[in-house]
Amino acid sequence: QVQLVESGGGLVQAGGSLRLSCAASGGGFGVRGVGWFRLAPGKEREFVAGINWNGARTNYADSVKGRFTISRDNAKNLIYLQMNSLKPEDTARYHCVGARSLGIPESGSDEWDYWGQGTQVTVSS
């Protein structure tokens, strides 16, 4: 089975930066899209960013465009989310996700088949 393990979360001041990492195992990493969702109490699940199988295409939520960057290293089976200019509203548990196929599913799609346990990001005022 595909497994995704996130790391890199923590507590940061508003305006600061964090880099999240996701290590994938179980095969198929290089032939599927991957991305990040975030979950916060009292809020609906929110798509953050996605990247297709070879990194040629990316997609971002409007709320993070210009601040977050998703990338991947297929040779190392790693996915990253560089988060800059963090805001308190970015506080959430961030989950690495794997798509069913090569591309980036729509944010509300049921084609995000694989989920990691998440890593907590807390941004203080």
Side-chain angles (χ1 to χ4, degrees), residues 49-60:
I51 187 167
N52 79 328
W53 70 281
N54 65 355
R57 298 193 301 275
T58 57
N59 191 30
Y60 296 93

Side-chain angles (χ1 to χ4, degrees), residues 73-91:
D73 185 338
N74 285 357
K76 298 180 178 179
N77 285 6
L78 292 174
I79 309 107
Y80 304 103
L81 185 68
Q82 178 67 46
M83 306 185 295
N84 299 325
S85 301
L86 283 162
K87 305 174 181 179
E89 51 263 46
D90 294 318
T91 295

Side-chain angles (χ1 to χ4, degrees), residues 38-63:
R38 63 189 182 187
L39 285 74
K43 298 175 66 176
E44 295 183 357
R45 183 183 70 185
E46 181 182 16
F47 171 79
V48 177
I51 187 167
N52 79 328
W53 70 281
N54 65 355
R57 298 193 301 275
T58 57
N59 191 30
Y60 296 93
D62 288 343
S63 59

Side-chain angles (χ1 to χ4, degrees), residues 3 13 18 35 37 47 63 72 84 90 102 105-106:
Q3 294 190 106
Q13 294 276 341
L18 284 173
F37 278 77
F47 171 79
S63 59
R72 67 188 298 166
N84 299 325
D90 294 318
L102 296 174
E106 298 292 330

